[in-house]
Amino acid sequence: MTTPSPHEPVYADRVYRSPMAVVTGVLLLALIGWLCGDAVVRGGGTARWAGLAVALFAVPLTVAFTLRPAVFANDDRMRVRNPFRVITLPWAAVDAVRAGYSAEVLAEGSKYQLWSVPVSLRDRKKAGRKLSRRDALSGKGLGADTAPADAAGPPRAAADQAVDELRELAERGAARPGAQGSVTVKWAYEVIVPAVLGAVALAVLLITG
C-alpha cells in the first residue's frame, strides 16, 4: 500500500445546512436582541438583570438549533455539527447514511442525526408528482421535448439528494488511507455553559424576585 503524499491537495468540504433554519435563527436573534435590549435599557430593578439572563439563556440555544447545525464532508470524512455535539466520522467507520423521517448516519453501533439536513415529506411528495408528470409525458412521447435539459435523473427531495451525495462519498472514500479511524464526539461547551448559566441566573431572579 502506498503512503499518501503529505502534499496531496486538500479540497474544500461540501457543506450541508438548512437555509430556512438560518433565516429563522437570524430573525429570532433579532427579536431576542430587541426585547432583551429594551428590558436592559428601559427596565428598572431586576428587569435589567432578567433581560440579561434571558439573553444569556436564549441566544446560545437559538444559535445551537438554527445557525450552528451543519454537515461538512470531504473525501476522507464527515463532520456533523449538531446543536450540542460535533461528531467526526471517517468514512471507513460509517456503516450507512439514510433518510427516513430524519437524516441520520450509522457508525460503530451508534446512530447520529443530521440536524442540518431536515427531511420534508412535502418535498418528497412534490418530487413524486414531478416524476409522475414526467412519466406521463414520456408515455405520450413528449418527455424528450418538454423535459428540462438538467432533468436527466428522477426528481429528488433536497434531503434525499444530500443523503445520496453523502452515501456516495462514503462508499467511494471508505478505502482511502486518510478515511481510516474511529468516530470522535466532542461536546459544544461554548453553547452549553452560557445557556446553563443563563438558566441558573434566571431561576435565581425568579425565586428572589
Side-chain angles (χ1 to χ4, degrees):
M1 179 183 297
T2 59
T3 303
S5 170
H7 303 293
E8 183 178 350
V10 178
Y11 298 99
D13 290 352
R14 299 188 189 185
V15 182
Y16 301 87
R17 62 170 75 242
S18 171
M20 184 58 66
V22 172
V23 172
T24 301
V26 171
L27 293 177
L28 287 176
L29 288 175
L31 180 61
I32 293 170
W34 175 54
L35 294 176
C36 294
D38 185 71
V40 171
V41 173
R42 300 185 181 183
T46 60
R48 292 182 176 179
W49 293 107
L52 290 173
V54 169
L56 186 60
F57 171 71
V59 168
L61 292 182
T62 301
V63 171
F65 285 98
T66 58
L67 304 181
R68 177 180 168 82
V71 172
F72 305 88
N74 57 32
D75 290 339
D76 290 333
R77 61 184 53 84
M78 171 169 61
R79 184 162 60 93
V80 180
R81 194 171 68 189
N82 281 344
F84 301 115
R85 296 190 299 177
V86 176
I87 306 104
T88 303
L89 306 104
W91 290 128
V94 172
D95 299 319
V97 185
R98 65 190 186 186
Y101 291 105
S102 64
E104 55 197 21
V105 55
L106 307 180
E108 298 180 348
S110 298
K111 179 172 65 175
Y112 306 99
Q113 186 174 354
L114 308 182
W115 281 75
S116 67
V117 187
V119 173
S120 171
L121 298 181
R122 180 180 180 182
D123 283 350
R124 283 181 174 170
K125 291 180 180 178
K126 184 177 179 180
R129 288 195 296 269
K130 287 183 179 179
L131 180 60
S132 297
R133 286 197 296 268
R134 183 188 300 179
D135 290 343
L137 291 173
S138 297
K140 296 178 181 179
L142 301 174
D145 298 327
T146 59
D150 60 346
R156 302 278 285 165
D160 294 327
Q161 289 179 0
V163 167
D164 288 345
E165 292 176 6
L166 292 171
R167 187 182 296 122
E168 181 182 352
L169 283 172
E171 294 173 353
R172 191 171 65 224
R176 287 173 56 88
Q180 308 307 306
S182 300
V183 177
T184 60
V185 179
K186 294 182 179 180
W187 289 95
Y189 293 107
E190 69 276 13
V191 173
I192 298 172
V193 171
V196 170
L197 291 177
V200 171
L202 186 59
V204 171
L205 288 171
L206 291 175
I207 293 173
T208 58

